[in-house]
Amino acid sequence: MQSKVLLIYTGGTIGMNRNPQTGALEPFDFEHLLLNVPELTQFDMLIDTYQFAPPIDSSDMSPRLWTDLSHVIADHYDDYDGFVVLHGTDTMAYTASALSYMMENLTKPIIFTGSQLPIGQLRTDGKENLITSIEIAAAKDDDGCARVPEVGIYFNGHLLRGNRTTKQSADEFNAFESFNYPHLVDAGVNITYHRERILQPDWQRPLKPHFRLDNNVIIFSLFPGIREDLIRHIIHTPNLKAIVMRTFGSGNAPQSPWLLSALKEGTRNGKVIVNISQCMQGCVEMNRYDTGYHLQEAGVVSGHDSTVESAVTKLMFLQSHFDDPDMIRQKMNQSIRGEITV
């Protein structure tokens, strides 16, 4: 039976053209993108397309648009074997993380990809990214099950778990990396699927999509000289429910009494404060140094080896489902979509 893939164009560099007057990149009609990749006609599968209108610059991505994307996939879920989402690179890791939480018990691939150069340019990386993403999205094992039943980001020969991925370069074709989790798929002359690294769902259960997110969350990074009045202002922000606090090294922070007092006050008032390392690689270990231990005493919870993108979107997801801050803290210490190592 012929495989069917839905190609969803949200926007991004891959579908842009250069304005001859201004030299700026502008989105163009999705059909033009397909004309620039005639190789797609060589696939022995049906490829349908869906376009967001107007195309979205990824800097303008929002939880509302994540919900729209979730609806598109959920509405067409039974009709296709896999989905490829073309997306701008700047916020791709946020969108992939959010979709991983919103698509519970996913049994089909949702592969995000894009490019650093527009598809119409001679040296574009978009063609290979798109062609291989479609092949992975359609791939099945001998039992007819999807080889990669999870949300991934494909770029430059590698498929990465979506909620483990961060954009690492604005200029290189190797734009993304999952520093704390190995690649799910490596594509060279052959495509190698690392089955032992890929999530395995309950194949008998249906997809359970979620469409609600609560974005009452903020990120702040600690740095030498950070001001008490600004931190207290954040802590006292009305309606704020959660803070992703980017700390030093393995989860360390200054031992200033005012900082610990402010964090303790925030926790006492029901705010969830999650400790994420500013390092690209490694894990928060709050028992390793005395400074981490004091954060624990203030009620701060470990983000383990989570990316910032994943922690923020996970909090949005959990806050839309649970009113109890203690329940959210408990869930932040559990891996619900393969997002952390515990």
Side-chain angles (χ1 to χ4, degrees), residues 166-182:
T166 293
K167 186 176 181 182
Q168 67 169 355
S169 175
D171 301 314
E172 296 179 4
F173 287 156
N174 191 30
F176 292 90
E177 188 53 84
S178 54
F179 292 96
N180 289 320
Y181 198 78

Side-chain angles (χ1 to χ4, degrees), residues 167 192 224 297:
K167 186 176 181 182
T192 303
E297 283 194 319

Side-chain angles (χ1 to χ4, degrees), residues 249-252 285-294 296:
S250 57
N252 303 311
E285 299 178 67
M286 291 165 69
N287 293 321
R288 190 171 178 182
Y289 295 104
D290 195 41
T291 55
Y293 177 75
H294 288 303
Q296 277 184 305

Side-chain angles (χ1 to χ4, degrees), residues 95-135:
T95 303
S97 295
L99 263 288
S100 76
Y101 299 119
M102 299 170 83
M103 299 283 108
E104 184 179 345
N105 200 52
L106 186 64
T107 58
K108 297 178 181 181
I110 301 175
I111 310 300
F112 282 81
T113 195
S115 66
Q116 296 285 64
L117 287 173
I119 199 81
Q121 290 195 14
L122 192 60
R123 292 184 54 250
T124 184
D125 54 326
K127 280 192 179 185
E128 193 278 322
N129 287 346
L130 175 56
I131 289 167
T132 307
S133 292
I134 290 172
E135 189 162 346

Side-chain angles (χ1 to χ4, degrees), residues 152-166:
I153 291 178
Y154 180 82
F155 243 81
N156 197 48
H158 308 297
L159 181 71
L160 317 169
R161 177 166 295 163
N163 58 32
R164 291 280 197 154
T165 303
T166 293

